[in-house]
Amino acid sequence: MRVNLTINGHPRGDEIEPRLLLVHYLRDVAGLTGTHVGCETTLCGACTVLLDGKAVKSCTVLAAQADGASVTTVEGLAKDGGLHPIQEGFWEEHGLQCGYCTPGMMMAAVDLLSRTTNPSEDEIRHALEGNLCRCTGYQHIIKAVQYAAEKMRAAAGR
Amino acid sequence: MAVVPKFVGARIKRREDPRLISGTATYVDDVRLPGTLSAVVLRSPHPHARINSIDAAAARSAPGVVAVLTGEELKGKVGGIPCVAPAEHIPFHPLLAQGKVRFVGESVAVVVATDAYKAQDAADLIEVDYDPLNAVSDPEQALADDAPILHEEFGNNLVTRALIPNPAVDEAMAKADRVVKFRIKNQRLAPVPMEPRGVLAQWHQANGQLTVWTSTQIPHLLRSALAAVLSLPENRVRVIAPEVGGGFGAKLNFYREEALIAHLSRMLGQPVKWIERRRENLATTTHGRDQITYLEVPVKNDGTVLAIKAKFICDMGAYLQLLTPAIPGFSGLMMTGCYKIPAMSFEQVMVFTNKMATDAYRGAGRPEAAYIAERTMDMVAAELGLDPVAVRRRNFIPKEAFPYVTCAGLVYDSGDYDAALTKALEIVDYPKARAEQAEALKHGRYIGIGVASYVEICGIGPSVMLPPKVPGWESATVRMEPDSRVTVLTGISPHGQGQETTFAQMAADAFGVDIDDVTVVHGDTAIVQYGVGTFGSRGLSVGGTALMMSVGKLQDKLKKIASTMMEAPPDQLTFTNRTVALQSDTTKAIPLQAVVDAAYGWKMPIPGMEPGLDATSVFEPSGCTFPFGTHVAVVEVDPETGVVKFLRYVAVDDCGNIISPLLVAGQVHGGIAQGIAQALYEEVVYDENGQLVTATLMDYAAPRAQMLPHYELAHTVTPSPLNPMGVKGVGEAGTIGSTPCMVNAVMDALKPLGVRHIDMPLRPEKLWRAFKDAKKA
């Protein structure tokens, strides 16, 4: 079957098997390997991408379901050569170690920050409950999200 | 010229991060080679069964299938998986089961197809005729006369027995006011690195060379093992550990799939890739811990501990991986902890069960030891009605006693245990916390305060402490390139720890250059000189010392050359701000580049000196480092639900001098998270028939953000005398301190119920039952 979608602002279309998962489409067909597979069962969040602006686990979405949609992956975060504030936050606050959960973690955080501009520590912990990190113990991830929130508020003049 | 700052000790953002936050890092599954085939492994659903026959005909003719292999077809073509630690019984460990399966998830056959979906489809078509056998999953039952035997050739399920007797322990029992006896369990855990294992192998037929990309902590050791199993010369095997998404000891190993996929590539003449799925990861990547310990502790009424006697039952699983039977030794040797306990003895019985093998998991034997020592202190305090802090202080090794030889014969390098305890208690305001606890209890609120003072063994170490094929030394090459930029090649293999940053900080300061002038390379056996790897918190203390040895050699050479150019003795020169300068007056300097030009030039200033700037060193430690600290937790247990709420978590760690404070905090945080997870949440569960119950992340409770506290960190600094940086290692410290700390806190909360001990994980159900049972009584 054929899917037509937009990935990180670039439209594309491909012939695919109906059973192909979105994460495998992104990694193996579109060649965007920044999105990782950690569990294939929606439990770890390593594969989180934005589907029409909302965070989804791309390991349990069929590529076919993304037909006509707009997908944002970690590769689409940086704009005009500058890092996205969430990327800056993770770097600045040591929000990653092995880096495997990081793309999914950042996408889930971007989803949160699109809904609330000044999340509390509890809200951040809650919003990231679908994303596992085994290295950081989460504290620096929370600081990274707070860093990004502040940066984005400042940029928006709030 | 701008002044080059100092980097050691400063808060430096990691140099690894730009590729990781942009999604451009290359993990094994991200490596793309044309013509790559995908492999899927068919695994046993039975814990113990005889294989009567395997019918793979349908799979072989399925669409896209290139090959199917079974254990019988591998016989005589490849070797088995090695265990390098000594043991009485080491079974043959095949790449695919031969005749019998011995645990759920054991590899039985492998399918190679043009893509992973097709390989999975074909694997589903393989019919295996099994005769199920009785299984044993309880290590205490595994040695019973009627227990099913895993490896018939041994006649029983004993792996090995270790006995460290000591008559002084019996004398202490006789002298004691009382003997505190209890049984504790360090439950089985799954390391769960976020990146599962994965292997990509490429055989180059034309020159008989093999390249293997694998998610490992030990590329060089793996190259040696692979070459042996596949009967290839080591110089024809290249192992690359690309970006590695966490290891925690689980990737300090040599797995069936690493050899199997390499063999398949050689057989088929095409690249073959296998990526572990999470279900496979939970079933077939090594587990950790799984020790039961019976303790007898003779004490005086004032809290003085006279000895510790322990019997360990250690569950090794069905086969032995690289270091499986070596891990419990550390638990025995370190179980006297921070205390001047004059005598100890132990017996360890290691057994086969129908489960995945255990092996190193963050801390590898020392979390178990710290759990024994720190639960002992609290049990003694409870028995004698003393404050747990007072019992610790009564038994601490005093700071004047270092270097201290323990009753197990270990030499603790340096320490000040009371300083770390005192600092942690100050931060938490211990007297006030105790008063609040008493007040809360009046209102039916159960608050607990847990203290754990740990010491662990790191930077292992003198090679004699390890099996011959996993030595304790480490290597580093430092090269100053013709443009005076510095390349570091390290034998360690970091996978999240951040030595691309810390080693760059150290090298930059040593040569007076910018951190951006240094590149750290690791994880490729074709580029990096032979090394050992990253495990046991050894990266900085052992690998970093090798680095500084090579740095020193280059500094000496550069100074000698500069001395001829500056007419000053070499020992009066220093490196600063990209110059070689007089120590007494750094304005008298020549550019570093001028010295480098001379070293690489057509005429060396010193006759007979080799051109170039390249030095390699190997550091063999003379002893181990012993990081330590005190963690204090304040928790509240809800009697209605059994849920543990975190009120404070304070960690005072002493890892010696600190090169990179940001990275040390990261290591401590992550360690605490995994240690608390053992205390409260995680357990690999096999039912009594050997079936794996925790095969997904739905059932295995790796903690999420809401399940962990906010950590308050502080440090004391007691440098190690064993390396030039004075560092001790910090990768495992958090894990080692936090497990007993959290259990002590919860048990303290339950003290009014008269409960002394509940085995981990302390999940709400267990605690709720404790309240319910207390109410009944």
Side-chain angles (χ1 to χ4, degrees):
Chain A
M1 63 173 292
R2 187 161 183 86
V3 286
N4 294 297
L5 70 171
T6 304
I7 304 176
N8 300 330
H10 303 291
R12 66 178 288 152
D14 294 281
E15 281 301 321
I16 57 160
E17 270 193 78
R19 64 174 174 173
L20 185 68
L21 296 170
L22 179 58
V23 68
H24 292 141
Y25 174 78
L26 293 170
R27 291 178 50 82
D28 299 335
V29 181
L32 296 170
T33 56
T35 302
H36 300 143
V37 182
C39 74
E40 311 104 1
T41 50
T42 332
L43 293 164
C44 84
C47 65
T48 305
V49 299
L50 300 183
L51 188 64
D52 286 333
K54 295 249 182 309
V56 297
K57 311 278 178 77
S58 64
C59 75
T60 38
V61 173
L62 293 168
Q65 290 173 279
D67 187 42
S70 169
V71 176
T72 309
T73 70
V74 62
E75 290 93 342
L77 282 178
K79 289 271 180 331
D80 309 321
L83 293 177
H84 187 283
I86 196 68
Q87 292 172 306
E88 280 182 47
F90 270 75
W91 194 8
E92 189 64 45
E93 298 294 347
H94 189 27
L96 63 148
Q97 289 175 33
C98 84
Y100 198 76
C101 77
T102 311
M105 199 65 85
M106 291 193 302
M107 300 317 287
V110 167
D111 178 293
L112 169 70
L113 295 177
S114 73
R115 290 180 277 117
T116 172
T117 55
N118 192 9
S120 67
E121 174 170 344
D122 264 1
E123 284 173 314
I124 298 169
R125 285 184 189 267
H126 181 72
L128 298 180
E129 71 181 348
N131 292 68
L132 278 177
C133 170
R134 196 60 163 166
C135 295
T136 65
Y138 299 103
Q139 193 152 312
H140 283 166
I141 291 179
I142 290 155
K143 286 177 83 172
V145 177
Q146 288 168 333
Y147 178 100
E150 198 180 322
K151 199 102 204 232
M152 288 162 79
R153 284 199 308 277
R158 276 180 291 219
Chain B
M1 188 191 278
V3 174
V4 177
K6 291 286 175 196
F7 297 98
V8 169
R11 184 189 196 274
I12 303 287
K13 287 199 293 182
R14 290 204 321 171
R15 299 160 57 71
E16 290 85 346
D17 289 0
R19 63 179 188 262
L20 296 166
I21 57 176
S22 58
T24 54
T26 307
Y27 299 86
V28 173
D29 198 16
D30 304 334
V31 179
R32 302 290 144 125
L33 301 175
T36 299
L37 302 169
S38 287
V40 163
V41 177
L42 180 72
R43 299 185 179 278
S44 170
H46 298 289
H48 200 187
R50 205 160 292 290
I51 300 172
N52 292 325
S53 63
I54 301 176
D55 180 357
R60 287 183 212 278
S61 58
V65 171
V66 177
V68 178
L69 270 188
T70 64
E72 290 302 313
E73 292 162 290
L74 280 177
K75 274 187 181 169
K77 295 197 175 118
V78 289
I81 294 299
C83 166
V84 298
E88 201 174 319
H89 295 146
I90 299 182
F92 179 67
H93 186 168
L95 306 189
L96 294 170
Q98 295 180 358
K100 249 174 84 163
V101 288
R102 294 180 174 86
F103 66 99
V104 169
E106 179 164 6
S107 52
V108 172
V110 61
V111 179
V112 184
T114 49
D115 71 50
Y117 284 59
K118 292 191 179 77
Q120 183 62 59
D121 287 344
D124 293 343
L125 299 173
I126 299 177
E127 289 196 24
V128 186
D129 180 17
Y130 291 106
D131 253 348
L133 301 167
N134 287 335
V136 60
S137 61
D138 180 336
E140 294 193 285
Q141 287 171 12
L143 290 179
D145 289 340
D146 59 349
I149 294 175
L150 274 84
H151 302 279
E152 286 84 354
E153 64 273 29
F154 304 139
N156 59 37
N157 290 323
L158 181 72
V159 173
T160 207
R161 201 184 287 272
L163 188 62
I164 309 286
N166 185 352
V169 171
D170 299 319
E171 289 162 26
M173 296 282 177
K175 280 195 304 207
D177 292 331
R178 325 189 185 192
V179 178
V180 180
K181 297 183 184 181
F182 58 106
R183 171 194 191 269
I184 57 177
K185 186 173 179 187
N186 268 280
Q187 78 275 31
R188 182 175 277 248
L189 301 176
V192 194
M194 289 317 299
E195 184 207 22
R197 294 185 290 123
V199 187
L200 168 65
Q202 184 179 31
W203 175 253
H204 310 270
Q205 181 61 42
N207 50 6
Q209 254 174 318
L210 174 72
T211 305
V212 175
W213 290 258
T214 183
S215 188
T216 187
Q217 301 172 222
I218 47 166
H220 284 96
L221 302 185
L222 189 67
R223 185 188 75 179
S224 301
L226 259 179
V229 171
L230 300 175
S231 303
L232 289 170
E234 235 180 290
N235 59 4
R236 298 286 173 87
V237 181
R238 176 183 186 184
V239 173
I240 299 171
E243 207 71 64
V244 172
F248 313 112
K251 295 173 183 173
L252 157 56
N253 226 307
F254 175 35
Y255 285 95
R256 294 175 178 216
E257 294 83 0
E258 288 170 318
L260 187 60
I261 299 306
H263 172 73
L264 284 164
S265 178
R266 179 171 62 173
M267 188 179 105
L268 300 169
Q270 267 178 277
V272 181
K273 182 188 271 188
W274 169 80
I275 300 297
E276 186 183 55
R277 309 181 78 170
R278 185 57 65 186
R279 183 177 276 274
E280 294 178 292
N281 177 261
L282 286 162
T284 72
T285 289
T286 52
H287 295 153
R289 319 281 191 261
D290 213 344
Q291 296 180 5
I292 295 163
T293 315
Y294 291 88
L295 290 153
E296 292 179 46
V297 184
V299 293
K300 290 283 189 197
N301 282 336
D302 66 1
T304 305
V305 176
L306 301 174
I308 297 188
K309 181 179 180 181
K311 180 175 181 182
F312 293 79
I313 314 291
C314 309
D315 190 335
M316 305 279 97
Y319 295 89
L320 304 181
Q321 287 278 352
L322 193 66
L323 294 167
T324 301
I327 304 302
F330 291 109
S331 311
L333 293 174
M334 288 298 294
M335 71 179 177
T336 56
C338 308
Y339 309 104
K340 53 178 196 309
I341 298 171
M344 59 95 88
S345 67
F346 65 84
E347 179 188 5
Q348 293 184 326
V349 182
M350 304 179 209
V351 299
F352 290 112
T353 59
N354 292 106
K355 301 178 188 170
M356 178 57 199
T358 50
D359 206 314
Y361 169 51
R362 202 167 191 172
R366 293 106 76 205
E368 296 92 319
Y371 189 64
I372 290 168
E374 292 311 290
R375 285 300 293 142
T376 293
M377 288 298 134
D378 271 35
M379 293 298 263
V380 167
E383 176 84 18
L384 301 174
L386 298 171
D387 187 296
V389 169
V391 175
R392 284 176 174 78
R393 287 208 163 112
R394 177 160 296 282
N395 291 288
F396 269 156
I397 298 162
K399 70 174 175 185
E400 306 76 39
F402 291 90
Y404 178 84
V405 183
T406 73
C407 61
L410 297 170
V411 184
Y412 287 3
D413 58 340
S414 61
D416 187 350
Y417 304 143
D418 196 42
L421 174 67
T422 301
K423 191 163 188 173
L425 295 178
E426 273 170 19
I427 294 170
V428 83
D429 196 347
Y430 188 65
K432 188 164 163 241
R434 283 288 180 206
E436 285 170 359
Q437 177 188 30
E439 183 58 29
L441 188 60
K442 290 182 197 157
H443 302 97
R445 290 176 56 208
Y446 293 82
I447 289 178
I449 302 164
V451 176
S453 296
Y454 72 90
V455 57
E456 57 144 338
I457 179 168
C458 282
I460 300 171
S463 291
V464 291
M465 291 184 68
L466 290 162
K469 288 183 177 171
V470 183
W473 51 262
E474 194 50 87
S475 70
T477 296
V478 178
R479 196 161 65 222
M480 193 165 278
E481 308 290 358
D483 66 355
S484 74
R485 301 312 206 286
V486 181
T487 302
V488 173
L489 309 173
T490 175
I492 66 165
S493 193
H495 42 282
Q497 291 82 356
Q499 274 95 359
E500 288 176 40
T501 303
T502 42
F503 282 14
Q505 288 174 266
M506 291 158 63
D509 280 4
F511 294 115
V513 299
D514 192 83
I515 193 166
D516 286 339
D517 295 333
V518 185
T519 293
V520 179
V521 178
H522 57 81
D524 184 341
T525 64
I527 298 175
V528 178
Q529 72 292 338
Y530 203 86
V532 178
T534 291
F535 53 88
S537 307
R538 69 195 299 277
L540 186 56
S541 66
V542 188
T545 302
L547 165 67
M548 292 315 286
M549 288 165 69
S550 290
V551 161
K553 289 176 189 172
L554 276 197
Q555 283 179 322
D556 285 349
K557 187 167 182 177
L558 287 162
K559 282 181 187 174
K560 275 185 195 153
I561 297 168
S563 129
T564 66
M565 302 162 77
M566 296 175 74
E567 291 173 4
D571 61 0
Q572 288 178 20
L573 298 176
T574 187
F575 298 87
T576 181
N577 216 19
R578 292 198 181 92
T579 67
V580 181
L582 271 184
Q583 283 168 9
S584 54
D585 178 4
T586 54
T587 61
K588 298 212 168 67
I590 56 170
L592 178 62
Q593 186 64 52
V595 186
V596 173
D597 286 345
Y600 277 98
W602 59 273
K603 189 174 176 236
M604 279 295 273
I606 299 172
M609 186 180 264
E610 277 182 50
L613 290 167
D614 191 309
T616 297
S617 308
V618 172
F619 175 57
E620 164 74 31
S622 61
C624 300
T625 60
F626 291 84
F628 61 91
T630 292
H631 290 200
V632 180
V634 185
V635 301
E636 179 169 355
V637 184
D638 185 334
E640 301 299 323
T641 63
V643 169
V644 175
K645 184 178 160 193
F646 307 111
L647 303 179
R648 296 285 296 276
Y649 196 95
V650 173
V652 176
D653 294 285
D654 193 323
C655 56
N657 290 329
I658 290 175
I659 306 290
S660 201
L662 192 59
L663 274 59
V664 166
Q667 288 296 314
V668 173
H669 287 176
I672 294 172
Q674 285 180 0
I676 291 177
Q678 174 172 15
L680 298 184
Y681 307 122
E682 292 181 18
E683 182 172 30
V684 174
V685 179
Y686 287 87
D687 71 13
E688 67 276 16
N689 300 317
Q691 191 54 244
L692 177 61
V693 178
T694 48
T696 74
L697 291 174
M698 186 73 88
D699 307 299
Y700 188 79
R704 296 162 189 284
Q706 285 167 303
M707 295 160 72
L708 292 165
H710 180 89
Y711 324 108
E712 302 169 56
L713 306 192
H715 295 279
T716 57
V717 177
T718 310
S720 172
L722 296 178
N723 59 68
M725 300 83 70
V727 300
K728 291 197 165 208
V730 75
E732 295 157 297
T735 324
I736 291 167
S738 59
T739 303
C741 175
M742 190 50 67
V743 171
N744 286 347
V746 175
M747 287 303 124
D748 189 54
L750 266 52
K751 201 171 159 193
L753 311 181
V755 176
R756 287 267 172 92
H757 181 77
I758 301 174
D759 273 330
M760 303 179 287
L762 299 176
R763 289 187 184 148
E765 186 210 338
K766 281 188 195 170
L767 303 181
W768 175 78
R769 276 182 200 287
F771 279 104
K772 208 173 139 211
D773 293 348
K775 217 183 238 176
K776 255 190 251 163

